[in-house]
Every structure is written in C-alpha cells, then in structure tokens.
Amino acid sequence: MFESYINLLLAAWVVVSIALFAKLPGRVAAVVCLIGGWALLPVAQFSDAVRGLEQPENIVTGAAVLSVAWWNKATAIGAGCLLGVAFFDRSRLMQLRPRAIDLAIAAWCLVPLASTLRNGLPMSDGLMQVAYAALVWGTPWLMGRMYLIDRAAVELWVAAIITAGLVYVPICLLEMLTGNVLYRALYGFHAYQNVGADRWFGQRPLGLLEDGNQLGMWMASAALAAVWMWRRGIMRNLIGLPGGVVAGVLTLVTLLCQSVGSILLLFAGVIGLSLIARFRARWILAAVIALPILYLGARATGLASVGGKLEHTWIGAQAKRVLIDAGLKSLGWRLKREEEHLKRVWERPLLGWGRSDWWNRDEAVRPWGMWMLELGTYGIVGLTAWMLIGLVPLGGVIWQCDRPRMRYGANAATIALAAVLAINAVDAFLNSTFLVIFIALAGGLVSAPPLIDPAQTLPENNGGAAAARSM
C-alpha cells in the first residue's frame, strides 16, 4: 500500500527522532529511536531491479555493508539520532571524552575511502560509503558512548530490549500461523519475504525486520536478558507481568520462531553466563578472544573447508549427518558459500575490493556471514577494526567477572547487555543481518561504569534494593 512512499516514511522518522530528542531526555530518546525505529520502519524502497532478481536474497541490507539502497532504515535511524543530538543535546556530546577503542570505530568508518581509492574507484563512491558507515555504525556507537554512562541508563536499555521482545510476541504468533503477512500489508515487497520461511511447524516469522534470522536473534536477545534478570532477582515484574512469566514467554516464542541458530545461541548464552560465574574470568576472556581469531584464520585460509577437508573425514561426515538430522543443513550451505569466494578475497587482502558486490560474478550466491562480506569489501584492515568494535567492550566486562560480581544484583544489567552483544556477535559469523541497535551496546559497554565488587560495598548498598524494584 505504501510502497511508493517508503522513502518519505523513512524521512518522516528523522523528523520524529528530532522531536523525541526535543521532548525527552537524550538517553530515553536514543533508546526509542534505535529500538522503535528498527521495530517499525520498512527496510528500504526496493528498486525494480531488485524486484526482478531471481535470487533477491542476494542483496545485502542494514549494517553489513552498503548495497541495496543508501537510504534505508539503518541510515534513517542514524540520521535522526545524529540530528537530534546536534540540535538538542550538544552539551552532552561536548562532555564525551575519546578513548583508545574509539579509534576502531573511526577506522571502520574511514576504511571505505581508503579501499575505494586503492582500487581506483571514484572518490565519490568512497565518501558515500564513509557516510553510510558513519550513520549505521558510528552514530549508534556514539549513542552508547554518550548515554550508557550509569546504571540507570544500563537498566533502561535492558528493560527496552525485553519490552521490544514482548511487543513482537503477538507478531511472531500471528505470522507463524499465517505466514509473513505484516510487512507485505504495510510496506509491500520484501526481498527476504519467503527466504527460509517454511519450518517444521508453520512458518518462521519476519515482522518488519530485515530477515527471519534477524527476528530470531531479536527474540533470543530479549529472552536471554529476561532470563538473566529474572534469575538474579532483579526483574520482579515488567509492564505488570511477573518476571518469570516474561522470561518464560520470550523463551517459548523464541523456540516457536524455529530459527535454529538463535535458539542455540540463547541456550549458549544462558550456559555461558553460568560458566563465567564458576570459572576464572581470564580463561573465559582468553577463549572469547582466541576462538573467533582461530575460527576466522581457519576459515579464511581454507584449513576448515566444509566442501573439502572436513566433509571427507570420518568426524566431518558424522558432524554433517548430525547437523542435517538437527535441521541445520543450512549451516553447511552457508559455510560452502563462503568458501566459494576465498580466492577472490585473497586477490585484494589488505583493503578489499571497495565494493559491496565484490562477490557478484558468474551468478554466484553471496557469502552469508558478515565477516566474509567485511573481509571481501574492506580487507584485513576493515575486518580487524570490525572485530575490535565488539571484542574490546566484551573483553572489558568479562575481565571484571567473578562469582561475587556475577551474583551482585547491581551488576546484573551490565552483564545482561554484554551477554546480548556476545550472542549477536557470534551470529554475525554466519549471518549478515546484524541488529544495528546492538552497536550501541558495544559503545555503551565502553562508557558503562565498572562492575561493583561487593567486598568493597557496604551491605546496605547491596543490589537487594534494586532487586526489590520492578523494571
């Protein structure tokens, strides 16, 4: 119905965002703009060329790299937040003090220009990509750095994430039974309308997000935060519902969405939080840093090739059978798509190809993992900056974790945000539909106050007071 007006709707959101910053405290406006915009806005105004593609899922949307349309929900949200701060919260912006990790986000936003120039592409292309990265990545990071500066702000973000999951519960239940009808009814064509929709029971919901996988991660993130806050006794109730009911409903709906990766990551997050509380944080931190690097090294060099070495070993064959039996056949498909493009990636290893469609030749299917898209587009320099954006804030929180701090109520919200960021970062190794709102969490964990050591805190200041509050 509104297909021809999608660009105007996105522009209207910028105006709404500015108004929110005018009327609300900056930290509240930023949360509403980032989460509300992602929940409600259309993806983009898809061109006739995209509509005519035999494989429209080959396009890339959102936070990964610039591809389908410069003006989309990600850039509209970023523009609204940036202008809102510029007009109505400059004083808070001027109080922000740069830190070393900010160099990583700066490098990520500027590497497109270096990459395009290195490949002899027009400077205008590089500047457009720089502007895209600044709005889609730089602005959410800035929102986190500016506003996630105290425990009240951290608790606000946790409550907002959980509430956003609850808002999508009826949408998920509806579309599991009827198919992906909401986006089509409101905005028309969606490139990922039918991609992976058929499931064991009914259909995988899409809502107004970019992809069914993304909706699965949206629900898994809300469920993980709710389960943790409820278990720690902090979330006694939320919007009038008991905390246990909220956690149970979100977990159940995550399962019903039948996005296998998000379900596994939800349970991995719950288990991971328990492990961090039981083992030395330094060992967990070492694993968090080492495993992604080892994984990327093995995948990028072809040492862990699904189509080659692994599949022709006994262990690889057994693993393949288990994955297929578990409904994870698409995992092998995704890994093979990455391997098809390795040779081309290493033709431009340092700064990549400078083009988001570098993989597009001979009717090839695009690589599905975000890391591979980044490596091919902006090379090792870009991939390194991208990994630092997530790993450094997560590492900072994990380094502080031990059993007393994990059990201390006042630390629960910060740990919940770190856990949510962690599972979304893991998902980015296999999917490119990264939720822009969680870039703000990465920046926020840099600014957030350190975890409290209960041994240095008076008993009357314990998190028990916070536990008695409803979120």
Side-chain angles (χ1 to χ4, degrees):
M1 181 169 60
F2 297 115
E3 286 185 51
S4 59
Y5 299 104
I6 285 177
N7 284 336
L8 292 178
L9 289 172
L10 294 173
W13 183 258
V14 176
V15 177
V16 169
S17 299
I18 295 172
L20 289 171
F21 274 91
K23 298 296 183 180
L24 300 174
R27 65 176 59 185
V28 177
V31 170
V32 174
C33 291
L34 287 165
I35 296 182
W38 207 263
L40 301 175
L41 290 176
V43 175
Q45 186 160 315
F46 295 107
S47 66
D48 291 338
V50 171
R51 295 166 185 266
L53 290 174
E54 292 184 7
Q55 294 179 310
E57 65 271 21
N58 258 352
I59 67 168
V60 182
T61 58
V65 286
L66 172 60
S67 180
V68 60
W70 192 95
W71 186 239
N72 55 39
K73 84 157 64 180
T75 47
I77 291 170
C81 288
L82 194 60
L83 291 173
V85 167
F87 289 147
F88 297 107
D89 209 2
R90 289 192 300 274
S91 60
R92 176 66 205 140
L93 178 62
M94 299 305 295
Q95 295 172 16
L96 187 64
R97 294 294 176 264
R99 298 191 182 183
I101 184 56
D102 292 322
L103 293 174
I105 194 70
W108 173 247
C109 292
L110 292 174
V111 72
L113 183 59
S115 183
T116 53
L117 294 178
R118 172 64 181 82
N119 285 280
L121 300 173
M123 181 178 287
S124 58
D125 287 359
L127 292 175
M128 288 292 288
Q129 292 183 51
V130 167
Y132 189 85
L135 289 176
V136 176
W137 287 81
T139 300
W141 175 275
L142 180 65
M143 296 300 101
R145 291 279 282 110
M146 286 178 61
Y147 296 121
L148 274 164
I149 56 174
D150 54 38
R151 288 182 172 80
V154 174
E155 290 178 0
L156 172 66
W157 260 95
V158 174
I161 290 171
I162 297 172
T163 304
L166 289 175
V167 168
Y168 256 73
V169 165
I171 296 174
C172 292
L173 296 176
L174 170 68
E175 292 200 336
M176 279 185 287
L177 299 175
T178 63
N180 300 326
V181 297
L182 184 59
Y183 194 98
R184 184 167 60 247
L186 292 178
Y187 303 129
F189 174 82
H190 191 302
Y192 286 79
Q193 184 80 38
N194 300 312
V195 177
D198 292 332
R199 295 285 141 164
W200 301 277
F201 170 75
Q203 298 215 351
R204 183 176 66 180
L206 174 68
L208 302 178
L209 304 189
E210 293 180 331
D211 179 80
N213 285 319
Q214 188 179 82
L215 178 53
M217 290 306 302
W218 178 284
M219 299 306 298
S221 300
L224 178 59
V227 168
W228 175 251
M229 297 300 286
W230 171 63
R231 287 182 60 191
R232 299 272 28 100
I234 304 301
M235 188 176 69
R236 296 292 179 85
N237 62 77
L238 181 68
I239 60 172
L241 296 173
V245 172
V246 171
V249 167
L250 289 174
T251 300
L252 176 61
V253 174
T254 301
L255 296 174
L256 291 175
C257 285
Q258 302 172 84
S259 186
V260 179
S262 62
I263 293 171
L264 293 177
L265 286 171
L266 167 59
F267 288 108
V270 173
I271 295 170
L273 288 171
S274 299
L275 291 177
I276 292 175
R278 294 176 181 274
F279 296 96
R280 291 178 63 87
R282 293 183 182 181
W283 289 108
I284 303 294
L285 178 60
V288 167
I289 294 174
L291 289 178
I293 295 174
L294 292 174
Y295 173 83
L296 293 184
R299 296 288 297 143
T301 58
L303 291 177
S305 172
V306 173
K309 300 177 179 62
L310 289 182
E311 206 169 70
H312 298 293
T313 64
W314 181 86
I315 294 177
Q318 297 305 309
K320 178 181 178 181
R321 182 180 60 80
V322 170
L323 291 174
I324 292 175
D325 291 343
L328 289 171
K329 185 177 180 180
S330 65
L331 175 61
W333 180 88
R334 293 161 194 250
L335 296 177
K336 285 186 177 181
R337 297 295 76 75
E338 294 175 356
E339 292 161 11
E340 291 174 354
H341 302 289
L342 281 177
K343 182 178 179 181
R344 187 164 178 80
V345 163
W346 293 118
E347 291 176 13
R348 299 283 192 278
L350 190 61
L351 289 169
W353 289 88
R355 300 170 56 94
S356 58
D357 62 348
W358 56 268
W359 49 267
N360 193 6
R361 68 201 190 285
D362 300 327
E363 299 183 354
V365 178
R366 75 170 177 87
W368 221 251
M370 192 169 177
W371 74 274
M372 176 63 96
L373 286 170
E374 313 297 8
L375 180 62
T377 307
Y378 303 128
I380 295 173
V381 174
L383 182 63
T384 301
W386 176 73
M387 290 187 65
L388 288 174
I389 291 168
L391 283 179
V392 171
L394 280 175
V397 175
I398 295 173
W399 181 261
Q400 303 172 63
C401 287
D402 54 25
R403 179 172 292 187
R405 288 184 176 91
M406 290 287 290
R407 294 179 177 273
Y408 193 61
N411 293 329
T414 301
I415 294 169
L417 293 187
V420 166
L421 176 60
I423 66 170
N424 281 272
V426 172
D427 183 69
F429 286 104
L430 295 174
N431 295 297
S432 61
T433 51
F434 189 75
L435 286 154
V436 166
I437 58 178
F438 295 132
I439 301 170
L441 297 192
L445 291 177
V446 174
S447 296
L451 299 183
I452 298 173
D453 183 354
Q456 300 176 3
T457 305
L458 295 176
E460 56 265 29
N461 292 331
N462 194 290
R469 299 197 309 265
S470 62
M471 290 184 64

